[in-house]
Amino acid sequence: MDLIKKVAGYLTSSRDVVALTGAGISVESGIPPFRGKGGVWERFDPMEYASIQAFEKDPAKVWRVLLSELKKVVDRAEPNNAHKGLAKLEKIGILKTIITQNVDGLHQKAGNTDVIEFHGNFAWHRCMNCDHRTDTQSLMLDQIPPTCDCGGIFRPECVFFGEMIPPEAMWRSRHVASNCDIMLVVGTSANVEPAAYMPVLAKKSGAKIIEINTETTPLTGHISDHILLGRAGEIMDILITEVKNLSQLEPAID
Ligand code: OAD
């Protein structure tokens, strides 16, 4: 509790806060994480189902096993208190930008306006033949893989293993990480590069790094200054209450 108060104090006296988020922030919205207990990669080998080579070799297999399940889960997911908390922090002028590794669009749905989608998004699909785009909710799965009127196969606009990070996401992330004074690192195992490098870059540039996670990560104790251990939604609720108390902005924050 004392640590949460201390972090709330850092936030209210900061000038530029950035958040880096990962799958853990969406767990309380019903989206499973990738690693650890119940994680997607416990059931599927990422190289067999989430690499661009696997998709190009057998798109029907990747659609049947991984993407159709992801679509079902993402189509019905709603932001939880952790997403909503970050939206409140933006609304009161504390949080500037979110760099997210997630493709579920829940930060935007919660109300954040500056979200860098480091691994692309699952909100849109693109025909691999003619580049026609369609929003994922309207994509029909009566035929697997789903195809465009031109006969081409639809792929999500997210980054498969073996693909480049979208260049704009990369340079903007580096820029905001190098210029923030606090980075909140929420629900990421910090195992996947280059996203995991962003807290390192922020630290090198003088920022404080605060993790929120149910367990420690490779950043803990080396790169991060503090870790708030617990479920992101629950921690964020308490943190927002403390920020409210300190900034006495109750009407604006609700
Ligand atoms: P991971 O699945 O690797 O890590 C999820 C993290 O969230 C872990 O550190 C958990 O301890 C933590 N966690 C779980 N539940 C939580 C909760 N309720 N509150 C807070 N923390 C919680 O997910 P990422 O780090 O996002 O890439 O994975 C990075 C990338 O690896 C993904 O973007 C994806 C994946 O392979 C691609 O698909 C390219």
Side-chain angles (χ1 to χ4, degrees), residues 99 116 118 169-179 197-198 201 205:
I99 306 168
I116 302 174
F118 204 78
M170 186 68 190
W171 69 253
R172 271 214 74 214
S173 297
R174 292 185 64 101
H175 178 76
V176 298
S178 315
N179 286 288
Y197 183 63
M198 296 305 143
L201 190 56
S205 311

Side-chain angles (χ1 to χ4, degrees), residues 127-130 146-154:
C127 168
M128 292 170 81
N129 180 46
C130 72
T147 48
C148 178
D149 289 345
C150 78
I153 293 168
F154 278 116

Side-chain angles (χ1 to χ4, degrees), residues 31-202:
I31 304 181
F34 294 99
R35 295 173 184 77
K37 205 164 165 281
V40 175
W41 302 153
E42 211 175 47
R43 288 184 292 144
F44 307 120
D45 173 357
M47 288 308 127
E48 207 182 327
Y49 293 103
S51 68
I52 187 61
Q53 292 81 2
F55 189 73
E56 282 172 346
K57 188 170 154 214
D58 193 346
K61 175 175 155 184
V62 172
W63 259 109
R64 206 168 33 246
V65 176
L66 187 65
L67 298 181
S68 46
E69 187 177 323
L70 186 60
K71 174 169 154 56
K72 257 187 247 154
V73 172
V74 170
D75 275 356
R76 62 170 180 248
E78 291 297 328
N80 64 53
N81 287 352
H83 301 103
K84 291 177 190 164
L86 290 182
K88 284 177 186 165
L89 287 180
E90 179 187 307
K91 199 170 160 197
I92 56 169
I94 288 180
L95 178 71
K96 298 290 186 296
T97 304
I98 297 177
I99 306 168
T100 189
Q101 298 163 86
N102 301 342
V103 296
D104 54 33
L106 292 179
H107 288 304
Q108 293 92 327
K109 218 170 175 181
N112 283 98
T113 59
D114 190 18
V115 182
I116 302 174
E117 293 179 311
F118 204 78
H119 291 157
N121 69 73
F122 198 74
W124 289 90
H125 278 69
R126 185 163 33 86
C127 168
M128 292 170 81
N129 180 46
C130 72
D131 272 347
H132 172 69
R133 291 174 89 222
T134 179
D135 68 284
T136 304
Q137 291 227 341
S138 355
L139 192 69
M140 292 296 150
L141 293 190
D142 39 7
Q143 180 195 323
I144 298 281
T147 48
C148 178
D149 289 345
C150 78
I153 293 168
F154 278 116
R155 61 155 291 168
E157 290 201 336
C158 50
V159 174
F160 282 106
F161 282 108
E163 289 191 301
M164 257 175 63
I165 303 301
E168 190 184 341
M170 186 68 190
W171 69 253
R172 271 214 74 214
S173 297
R174 292 185 64 101
H175 178 76
V176 298
S178 315
N179 286 288
C180 64
D181 57 356
I182 296 184
M183 182 177 273
L184 293 174
V185 180
V186 189
T188 175
S189 63
N191 265 308
V192 176
E193 296 292 356
Y197 183 63
M198 296 305 143
V200 180
L201 190 56

